[in-house]
Structures are given as structure tokens and as C-alpha cells.
Amino acid sequence: MIKKPSSEFVIDGVEIHRGQTVRINIDMGSIYDFTDVKMPVEVIRGQEDGPTLFVSSTIHGDEINGIEIIKRLLASRALKKICGTLIVIPIVNIFGFNDRTRYLPDRRDLNRCFPGSKNGSLTSQLAYKFMQEIALKSDFGIDLHTGAFHRCNHPQIRANIYDKFTLDLAKAFGAPVIIGSNLRDGSLREAVSQANIPMILYEVGEALRFDESGIEIGVNGILNVMREIGMIKSAKLTKSKKEVFVARSSSWVRAPRSGIHIVRQKLGKLVKKGETLGEISNPFGDHKILVKAHQSGKIIGISMLPLANKGDALFHIASLNAELEISGEAQAIEDLSNNDPVNSRYPKHEF
Ligand SMILES: [Zn+2]
């Protein structure tokens, strides 16, 4: 359902009228020296009614690709005439971002603290405010992430692929890989799914680095989702014609011993079970041991640190599952021929 389609739309006490673009600094309390901390949010409300979509980034403070994605999204001409309301939050974890760290000052991971509580820890309060002021006022969500420190991710959507509406959003985005990943306790994805709000998560690149092609896929992906849910009225599709790889699960290949690790494969490569992915040796090049794929699939994440302890996660492989592979081109044709109103495709959401 649209939360408040034709009446007032208020975030943190600020009313946004139809046709307005408003930047709001949501109050997040203060730090030790009494300096106020604000979470900057931009709200674009179209003249016409439609769904409300939030696009959030940097829940983990060192994952910055989403900031650049949102910057470029806001420069898109397609946003000049939208139906409904777009809420963008370039930096959710403002504390961690300014310290270039994943966590908050209380050493908690924000994505394990949703839905949060008003009087909980600092992290829990931030999660609560985000849920109350942003997520629960939205009909759909896209959360932007980056690989963890020293890990690089191939562009991928993580979503509940067993929910038709969420899978449709994931397909519409147009990233080369979709992973059906489990909900983690305390994640934003779990909290919004309990509130019946379809949300997808886009992952690309490495912490504290920009990934140019992944940023482009991200910008186009958000516009594609906005088109899918009727916020942008345009027949033009910008989605990739390349194949989309949909996997039910993924798992990590771990280091068989400690040593110096050389990567022998690239992100996005399809590998067979038993294929060599890397090699580990001692600092003299002796005692070489090969790191091999434990299953067939696509490499969607690689550890960029050339040092490994036995058991360290080195290669993230999405399971190969032939019947779930779909062609991007076939999907585009299907979308163009689907002239049903958005309402009939998202019955839970009355437009
Ligand atoms: Zn993250």
C-alpha cells in the first residue's frame, strides 16, 4: 500500500508537498563534544501519486560505492518527472563513515541492530530512527553495499528470490548476478520484510574504493526498478542484455593452509568443481598448495589480501543451478510486453 498517497508526507517533522524536492538533516543526537550529528536525506516527491521508494547506502561506514551511485542518480534527468516519492540516504552510518570504519562508536554493526529501539544503544537508536522515519514510510527499498574490508564483490543483487514481488524487483534491476540469500538476524532486510516491504540489496566492489562499472550498473539498476514499479513512465529499457545468473545459494572456499596467496581467477568467472582458483606458498615459494573450487559456479567475491591464514575465506562462489538461469534479453522482451498496471503485478501494494 502507498502509505499516504495524496495527503501529507512528513519526515522528521518536515512536510514534503507534491512537486517538492527537500533535503532534510535528520537529528541523530550529538557526540562527546556536544556537536550535533545529522543524517542527510533528500526527498523527491513527484506531482503525481505513486509508490514511495527508499534508496539507502553506507549502513556499513566504509562501503562507499552507493554514495557515488546516489550522487549520479540525483543528476539523472529521469528524476525530473516521477510519480510517487523517492527518498535517498547516501550515508546511513554517518558515525562509521567519518571514521572510515564499518561499525559505530559503540563497536556494533548497524546491519545486525534493526529494527532498533528508541532507548537502546547508539546503534540501536540509529536503526530505530531509520525504520520509523524512512523504511516504514516506504513501499519498496534498495539498500546499497560494498564488499567488506579487503574483499571485492562482483556486481550482485541479494534478495528473497522466493517472494515473487522481490524477485521481480531483483530481475528489473539488471545486475549480472542475483543471489537468493538468507535473511540475517537484525538486518535491515529482515526488518523491512517483517513489515511486508519488498527490498533488494545491491553489492559491488570493495570497501573504501570506487568501482566504476559497478557504479554505472547501480545507477541504471535503480532507474530500472523505478520504471518497474511505475515511478518513471518510459518504455526505454537501459538494462543489460547480458545473461543474468540467478543462484539459490553461495558459499566460500577457505584457505587450506596459511601463507602467501596468489589469485589465479577473476571476479565473475564461471568455474568448475576442482578448478584451480589460487595458490598458497611460503615466502620462498616452497610448499605450494593449490586452492580449488569446492563446487561449480560463478565467482562473486574474492579476498584481495594476498596473505591468508588457514580457514580464511578466499573465494565466494554462487552455486551453478541451470534451471534458474534466465536470459537478460528474454527478460527485457517480457517486460516490454507486460502492459499490466503496476497494481496488478504488486497486489500487496495498492496503487
Ligand atoms: Zn555492507
Side-chain angles (χ1 to χ4, degrees):
M1 75 213 92
I2 290 178
K3 306 305 188 243
K4 285 182 182 172
S6 56
S7 56
E8 59 176 15
F9 190 82
V10 177
I11 287 186
D12 206 31
V14 178
E15 184 169 356
I16 304 103
H17 300 280
R18 283 188 186 152
Q20 271 192 328
T21 295
V22 178
R23 202 165 293 171
I24 304 164
N25 289 317
I26 299 183
D27 183 23
M28 288 294 165
S30 61
I31 49 175
Y32 304 128
D33 65 359
F34 280 37
T35 304
D36 290 337
V37 178
K38 310 278 186 188
M39 181 168 72
V41 168
E42 187 159 305
V43 185
I44 302 169
R45 188 170 176 194
Q47 286 286 359
E48 286 184 55
D49 288 337
T52 299
L53 168 71
F54 77 81
V55 179
S56 54
S57 173
T58 318
I59 273 184
H60 294 130
D62 57 356
E63 299 181 4
I64 60 175
N65 276 313
I67 299 172
E68 185 62 17
I69 290 172
I70 288 176
K71 245 177 74 190
R72 295 189 198 180
L73 174 73
L74 291 177
S76 167
R77 290 175 58 193
L79 297 195
K80 295 216 179 303
K81 198 176 175 210
I82 64 167
C83 303
T85 305
L86 173 68
I87 310 171
V88 294
I89 315 95
I91 306 159
V92 178
N93 179 359
I94 37 219
F95 298 94
F97 171 72
N98 282 297
D99 264 354
R100 299 196 312 217
T101 170
R102 179 182 179 90
Y103 305 103
L104 276 91
D106 58 7
R107 302 171 68 87
R108 287 183 168 86
D109 182 330
L110 178 57
N111 217 22
R112 305 288 179 273
C113 292
F114 283 98
S117 78
K118 195 175 180 181
N119 299 311
S121 66
L122 180 69
T123 308
S124 187
Q125 290 173 47
L126 201 163
Y128 179 80
K129 195 112 189 201
F130 186 88
M131 284 301 291
Q132 300 303 313
E133 297 296 337
I134 311 281
L136 295 178
K137 293 178 180 177
S138 303
D139 301 293
F140 301 97
I142 302 174
D143 192 26
L144 306 172
H145 285 252
T146 301
F149 206 39
H150 296 311
R151 279 187 193 163
C152 194
N153 280 337
H154 190 57
Q156 62 198 262
I157 290 288
R158 295 186 186 174
N160 176 9
I161 60 173
Y162 304 104
D163 175 70
K164 183 194 175 302
F165 311 111
T166 311
L167 178 60
D168 284 350
L169 294 185
K171 286 180 186 171
F173 194 95
V177 177
I178 298 172
I179 312 285
S181 59
N182 292 330
L183 293 172
R184 279 176 184 269
D185 285 349
S187 69
L188 174 61
R189 212 148 64 80
E190 183 195 56
V192 297
S193 88
Q194 282 174 358
N196 209 19
I197 299 165
M199 191 195 100
I200 57 174
L201 188 152
Y202 177 59
E203 281 267 3
V204 69
E206 188 182 350
L208 296 175
R209 299 282 183 274
F210 278 165
D211 182 304
E212 183 56 36
S213 65
I215 288 168
E216 282 298 306
I217 292 170
V219 175
N220 287 330
I222 295 166
L223 292 171
N224 287 337
V225 168
M226 291 180 73
R227 205 169 282 120
E228 166 77 9
I229 61 179
M231 294 180 77
I232 298 174
K233 287 177 180 163
S234 159
K236 189 177 153 232
L237 283 167
T238 51
K239 70 175 64 173
S240 163
K241 299 285 185 205
K242 289 181 186 159
E243 234 181 33
V244 179
F245 184 93
V246 186
R248 288 183 201 273
S249 62
S250 62
S251 58
W252 283 89
V253 175
R254 295 183 177 276
R257 65 165 303 152
S258 301
I260 315 294
H261 176 227
I262 298 293
V263 174
R264 295 288 183 216
Q265 296 284 359
K266 286 198 162 62
L267 275 175
K269 174 101 191 298
L270 275 170
V271 291
K272 290 199 178 99
K273 185 178 178 179
E275 201 169 328
T276 298
L277 305 176
E279 58 184 57
I280 295 175
S281 69
N282 70 11
F284 302 98
D286 302 336
H287 299 285
K288 207 176 279 180
I289 184 168
L290 298 177
V291 181
K292 295 190 171 181
H294 62 308
Q295 62 170 344
S296 297
K298 188 179 272 274
I299 301 175
I300 57 164
I302 294 181
S303 168
M304 306 303 286
L305 187 70
L307 313 173
N309 277 319
K310 185 179 178 187
D312 280 355
L314 299 182
F315 297 91
H316 194 190
I317 299 190
S319 312
L320 183 62
N321 196 329
E323 76 262 31
L324 276 176
E325 282 180 70
I326 56 167
S327 152
E329 196 158 13
Q331 184 61 28
I333 292 163
E334 185 190 300
D335 283 353
L336 277 173
S337 64
N338 189 349
N339 292 320
D340 292 348
V342 175
N343 201 15
S344 68
R345 281 183 281 144
Y346 295 93
K348 279 191 279 185
H349 299 266
E350 296 158 14
F351 292 89

